[in-house]
Amino acid sequence: MTRRNMLKAGAAAAALPLIGIPRAFAQEKLKVAFVLIGSPDDNGWNFGHEQGRKKMLEAIGADKVDTTVVTNVAEGPDSERVFRELAQQGHKLIYATSFGYGDYVHKVAKQFPDVKFEWATGNATAANVSTYNARFHEGRAVIGTIAGLMTKTNIGAYIGSFPIPEVRMGINAFAIAARKVNPEFKLKVVYVDSWFDPAKEADAARALIDQGVDVITQHTDGPAALQVAEERGIVGGFGQGADMSAFAPNAHLSAIIDNWGPHYIKSVQSVLDGTWVESSVWDGLASGEVEIGPFNKKIPADVVAKAEAVKAGIIDGSIHPFAGPLKDNTGAERVAAGDVIDDGEFWAVDWYVEGVEA
Amino acid sequence: MMDLLNNAVLAGFIAASVRMAIPILLAAIGGMFSEKSGVLNIGLEGMMLLGCFVGFAAAYASGSLLVGVLAAIVAGALLGLVLGVFAVTIGSNQVVVGIAINLLMVGVTGFFFRLFFGSGTSSPRITNFQPIDFGVLGQIPIIGPLLFQHDPLTYLALLIVVLAWVVMHRSTVGLAISAAGEHPEAAETLGLNVPRIRYLCLLAGGALAGLGGAFLSLSATGLFIDNMTSGRGYIALAMLILGRRYPFGILAAALLFGAADALQLRTQLLPWNIPLQFLLMLPYVLTIVVLAIAAGRTGAPAALGAPFRRHKSDGA
């Protein structure tokens, strides 16, 4: 065998694997990863993202997309390792589904410019980092209306996770709406310092009910507070992130449901189409990203009608959850009549509205 | 202000203090047995988490809370046995093994939960233990909520504290356990089987930690979720040191932490202008302060954490 023939044979052998490349590229699936702070079975926040992932797979097809879900990733330095490993494993789109991941997302994104990152509830974008969020406060205004009309003691409760703007503004939206229909309404707030600690959430609910509270809502991820509401026989409470009526058939008045499906479908499709661009998405009731769960049959028809009217008003723009005049809970005017707290000011609000005891 | 100190609020606070102390108390008593025999049990968190999951799954599958409790006890004991293999038989570093157990159990419980119940579905639930109705006794101010408004697992936990005290301080078994932890070589020369004692203590410790975990899923909530113990196993370790590895000391420490935890939620409802963060820190700051005061008087066995190797007698 001559040297030339040997080289030809070698070149042919080397080229063999390349023959299937165009076909392989045509069939290669997009690898998408979801990083969750908790469990997809929490019936709340993480459950909502898991449902969104499933809807996306259903709509786009498992033949086009491969998904990886990493659960219970703490908002700390270890999340950086998770993001880096996912990028190294060939994931081209990574969803970071909690605010505390932000610094680590941006750090890893710089090292992997060809990987797209989407940061839920985030506040800073980059060339390959988008943010997406939902206007949960719009849903709070709807359920706040129900709470204000249903309460018998005029004392409501709000179990918060952490005193961050998103939680604080949910509290404010709820209280504003409740007091609009019932000026006597007061809202007691307790923070449990955790997104998910069922035992603590349950105890917070008990402590609040001991104070005369008869309607409870929460910005934590589990149904424990609703279970307590059920066993104590109060007027009721509201599901957070998902319909939690299975846990409290009598006490569950309605729920704010996070519907991430439409965003995930749009976002994944844009990566497949090559049209993905850095963006900041913040949708709400109008686009279906925030939904209101079924109303409990015990809610009177006129209360349902008023709640539906608030929902319709928010969707058509005739109602703004933070329209002035608004006073804070020290009595100082914060928003003048005719003004609103706009999107830019939203994240800077560090006060509670009138009627909130926090 | 006064309405916050009414009977309902005070009763709620007292009942909550006990309720929040129980899982920590059970795990800490379990840790006491392990540590008194000379084995450092960092794996309490993992044992609690396994008990929490297995107890829930067994109760759900069987429809019986009692089956759930027994399953949690067995699961915790088996994990104690695993710790025993590494810490007693192999002589591995006990801190590393304990942490490995904790990390492993987060994955194991999450994996099997999704295997049994599916992923991203609404969590299954069970009817949890309810307080025993003691009639008028439950209505007695302060005494009622402290003693007569709890579920069966709470009373079982309090009974276990008494039994632990009897075993450790009023029996030869307790002397043998202490000997194995203080001076294993001397214990061996007296004819005691130190590895067996340590294994039995790890079995008992794991069983109690598993029962503590089961309290969270079968009593406190009626559901299971990933990482549900939320660090309570580590708190139990602190309570164990705080209580100086003495059953009633551990009970007092756990109740103190439970009260601080319950108070942390309730002080937020007081019209005091205290920053929220200080209130949230309360249970942990209190623990650190008391630990600092008690420093040097922890009652740790002399051979705690040291692997025991039997010495082969030299043939003459």
Side-chain angles (χ1 to χ4, degrees), chain B:
Chain B
M1 172 71 189
M2 285 315 292
D3 68 319
L4 288 165
L5 298 175
N6 66 29
N7 275 351
V9 174
L10 192 59
F13 165 67
I14 293 166
S17 300
V18 176
R19 192 168 47 243
M20 294 180 113
I22 295 302
I24 291 164
L25 170 66
L26 284 164
I29 294 289
M32 177 200 73
F33 280 112
S34 309
E35 296 204 356
K36 277 290 195 182
S37 73
V39 181
L40 185 60
N41 192 349
I42 302 285
L44 289 174
E45 174 80 1
M47 292 170 188
M48 282 185 86
L49 189 54
L50 185 66
C52 188
F53 166 67
V54 171
F56 174 81
Y60 182 85
S62 67
S64 164
L65 289 170
L66 183 59
V67 169
V69 169
L70 294 172
I73 289 169
V74 171
L78 288 174
L79 203 48
L81 201 62
V82 170
L83 177 58
V85 169
F86 286 97
V88 180
T89 305
I90 299 171
S92 307
N93 183 303
Q94 293 168 16
V95 175
V96 173
V97 175
I99 290 170
I101 283 172
N102 293 341
L103 294 173
L104 183 65
M105 285 308 109
V106 173
V108 166
T109 54
F111 172 77
F112 282 104
F113 180 75
R114 282 190 257 303
L115 189 68
F116 294 162
F117 301 109
S119 178
T121 55
S122 185
S123 278
R125 62 220 154 268
I126 54 172
T127 303
N128 52 329
F129 279 110
Q130 296 302 310
I132 297 168
D133 185 7
F134 285 100
V136 290
L137 290 174
Q139 309 310 313
I140 303 168
I142 299 177
I143 302 293
L146 185 62
L147 298 176
F148 301 112
Q149 287 183 14
H150 302 291
D151 63 90
L153 287 189
T154 301
Y155 297 110
L156 177 61
L158 297 173
L159 177 64
I160 283 167
V161 173
V162 176
L163 291 175
W165 176 77
V166 170
V167 168
M168 289 305 302
H169 299 277
R170 288 290 180 273
S171 75
T172 52
V173 175
L175 283 172
I177 291 168
S178 295
E182 289 293 346
H183 208 305
E185 288 83 4
E188 278 276 322
T189 60
L190 291 171
L192 294 173
N193 186 332
V194 171
R196 185 195 292 161
I197 289 168
R198 288 184 171 181
Y199 262 107
L200 289 171
C201 285
L202 284 169
L203 278 169
L208 291 174
L211 181 60
F215 181 89
L216 292 170
S217 56
L218 303 183
S219 182
T221 58
L223 54 92
F224 175 81
I225 198 75
D226 284 6
N227 227 347
M228 191 164 169
T229 45
S230 299
R232 285 175 176 85
Y234 295 109
I235 298 294
L237 272 174
M239 295 307 107
L240 166 63
I241 297 163
L242 196 55
R244 297 177 66 187
R245 296 171 180 82
Y246 176 69
F248 293 116
I250 291 168
L251 172 63
L255 284 171
L256 178 72
F257 186 86
D261 220 0
L263 194 65
Q264 167 217 299
L265 294 172
R266 285 156 181 81
T267 43
Q268 290 182 49
L269 296 166
L270 293 168
W272 300 342
N273 204 10
I274 302 171
L276 169 70
Q277 288 74 13
F278 287 113
L279 299 176
L280 295 174
M281 283 157 53
L282 184 67
Y284 309 99
V285 169
L286 193 64
T287 302
I288 291 165
V289 168
V290 179
L291 275 173
I293 293 165
R297 301 193 300 278
T298 60
L304 180 62
F308 172 67
R309 292 266 177 266
R310 276 205 174 106
H311 297 294
K312 299 270 191 292
S313 54
D314 297 326

Side-chain angles (χ1 to χ4, degrees), chain A residues 135-154:
Chain A
R135 296 177 183 272
F136 309 113
H137 53 276
E138 293 182 349
R140 300 279 175 207
V142 179
I143 63 171
T145 304
I146 298 168
L149 293 166
M150 291 290 287
T151 180
K152 294 183 176 77
T153 62
N154 291 329

Side-chain angles (χ1 to χ4, degrees), chain A residues 44-45 53 80 117 131 156 224 227 345:
Chain A
W45 175 258
R53 181 188 72 86
E80 184 184 326
F117 290 83
T131 62
Q227 288 179 300
E345 296 165 317

Side-chain angles (χ1 to χ4, degrees), chain A residues 74-81 83-84 96 98-111 117-126 128-131:
Chain A
E75 293 174 308
D78 194 48
S79 67
E80 184 184 326
R81 174 189 61 80
F83 293 124
R84 186 173 288 107
S98 197
F99 180 80
Y101 294 144
D103 292 345
Y104 311 104
V105 165
H106 278 276
K107 192 173 174 184
V108 175
K110 277 182 192 147
Q111 297 160 359
F117 290 83
E118 295 210 359
W119 173 24
T121 73
N123 57 6
T125 63
N128 60 330
V129 180
S130 282
T131 62

Side-chain angles (χ1 to χ4, degrees), chain A residues 76-196:
Chain A
D78 194 48
S79 67
E80 184 184 326
R81 174 189 61 80
V82 174
F83 293 124
R84 186 173 288 107
E85 283 178 8
L86 289 168
Q88 285 167 342
Q89 287 162 12
H91 293 88
K92 294 298 175 195
L93 176 59
I94 299 172
Y95 292 104
T97 66
S98 197
F99 180 80
Y101 294 144
D103 292 345
Y104 311 104
V105 165
H106 278 276
K107 192 173 174 184
V108 175
K110 277 182 192 147
Q111 297 160 359
F112 295 89
D114 60 328
V115 178
K116 315 282 187 270
F117 290 83
E118 295 210 359
W119 173 24
T121 73
N123 57 6
T125 63
N128 60 330
V129 180
S130 282
T131 62
Y132 64 107
N133 203 350
R135 296 177 183 272
F136 309 113
H137 53 276
E138 293 182 349
R140 300 279 175 207
V142 179
I143 63 171
T145 304
I146 298 168
L149 293 166
M150 291 290 287
T151 180
K152 294 183 176 77
T153 62
N154 291 329
I155 310 171
Y158 204 111
I159 299 169
S161 47
F162 301 96
I164 58 175
E166 187 185 306
V167 175
R168 197 180 287 117
M169 291 307 270
I171 291 166
N172 284 340
F174 185 87
I176 291 163
R179 285 173 66 82
K180 208 172 269 184
V181 294
N182 177 1
E184 301 298 305
F185 187 84
K186 292 216 174 351
L187 186 64
K188 291 178 182 286
V189 177
V190 165
Y191 286 100
V192 293
D193 198 35
S194 170
W195 284 115
F196 192 86

Side-chain angles (χ1 to χ4, degrees), chain A residues 293-310:
Chain A
F295 297 112
N296 192 310
K297 287 185 173 65
K298 75 178 181 183
I299 303 175
D302 62 319
V303 174
V304 171
K306 279 178 180 150
E308 291 283 19
V310 170

